[in-house]
């Protein structure tokens, strides 16, 4: 193993979930937002399937970016579409926006298909992501979130703090 090529990665996986379905872009005609768009590209957007769905205002999508020292995250999702499994992969970075003269710089960047900023599909998906998901989860539908260079050493009681934060924000 070449130690210079190792990237610390916090991986979060779910299994037997629906995955991030729907359009990868906002439908400008209807304003309809898909689960994929809400998590990967939306800002303050929440999509719910039923009254028992967790979450609140869509702000949780930024939580993983805050854990990454690079302020970057990668998403891999597998879902059922027309009776077959479909898989998507995309990365997102949110950097500090700045005022540059009379214009504002763009602070969000995506890792995906360059021309359309679309997710990567099929055999073009990076093999490391599918390998990590396969090692952690039985195949099937669901989503994996990969956080490069996670800043997990700030607290000795990190997992206790995470449990408290989750309960405080999502316990009804």
């Amino acid at each position: 193993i070449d130690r210079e090529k190792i990237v610390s990665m916090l991986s979060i996986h779910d299994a037997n979930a629906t995955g991030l379905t729907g359009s990868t872009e906002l439908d400008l005609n209807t304003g309809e937002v898909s689960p994929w768009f809400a998590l990967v590209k939306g800002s303050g957007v929440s999509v719910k399937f039923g009254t028992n769905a967790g979450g609140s205002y869509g702000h949780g999508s930024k939580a993983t970016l805050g854990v990454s020292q690079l302020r970057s995250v990668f998403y891999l999702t597998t879902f059922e579409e027309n009776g077959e499994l479909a898989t998507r992969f995309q990365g997102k970075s949110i950097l500090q926006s700045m005022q540059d003269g009379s214009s504002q710089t763009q602070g969000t960047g995506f890792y995906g298909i360059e021309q359309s900023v679309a997710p990567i599909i099929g055999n073009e998906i990076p093999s490391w992501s599918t390998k990590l998901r396969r090692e952690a989860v039985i195949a099937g539908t669901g989503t994996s979130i990969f956080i490069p260079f996670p800043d997990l050493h700030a607290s000795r009681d990190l997992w206790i703090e995470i449990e408290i934060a989750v309960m405080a924000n999502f316990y009804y």
Side-chain angles (χ1 to χ4, degrees):
I1 295 176
D2 185 352
R3 302 296 276 163
E4 293 179 10
K5 292 184 179 182
I6 292 178
V7 173
S8 299
M9 192 83 67
L10 172 62
S11 301
I12 304 166
H13 311 279
D14 68 14
N16 298 320
T18 57
L20 300 175
T21 60
S23 173
T24 59
E25 295 301 323
L26 176 64
D27 185 330
L28 296 175
N29 294 323
T30 66
E32 187 174 317
V33 175
S34 71
W36 170 269
F37 185 87
L39 179 63
V40 179
K41 294 192 177 176
S43 181
V45 177
S46 185
V47 176
K48 302 288 177 223
F49 291 107
T51 57
N52 293 330
S56 54
Y57 300 103
H59 304 309
S61 65
K62 304 290 187 285
T64 53
L65 288 156
V67 175
S68 171
Q69 293 181 59
L70 298 177
R71 295 195 39 89
S72 299
V73 66
F74 297 96
Y75 304 97
L76 174 69
T77 190
T78 301
F79 56 96
E80 200 169 307
E81 184 175 63
N82 300 323
E84 295 185 23
L85 292 181
T87 304
R88 297 177 180 158
F89 177 89
Q90 189 149 35
K92 179 178 185 176
S93 293
I94 297 183
L95 306 175
Q96 182 72 37
S97 295
M98 301 176 155
Q99 191 71 30
D100 184 20
S102 63
S103 63
Q104 183 80 17
T105 62
Q106 173 67 30
T108 303
F110 293 95
Y111 177 82
I113 297 173
E114 183 178 359
Q115 291 80 10
S116 58
V117 194
I120 299 169
I121 58 173
N123 294 332
E124 299 300 314
I125 294 174
S127 61
W128 62 264
S129 65
T130 53
K131 180 179 184 248
L132 286 173
R133 180 164 175 83
R134 250 190 335 267
E135 289 174 355
V137 180
I138 297 172
T141 56
T143 301
S144 294
I145 300 173
F146 304 102
I147 305 167
F149 297 105
D151 187 12
L152 301 177
H153 301 96
S155 171
R156 290 183 303 145
D157 298 322
L158 174 73
W159 298 114
I160 292 171
E161 290 179 24
I162 290 173
E163 288 174 8
I164 291 169
V166 168
M167 286 189 287
N169 286 288
F170 294 100
Y171 183 74
Y172 292 101

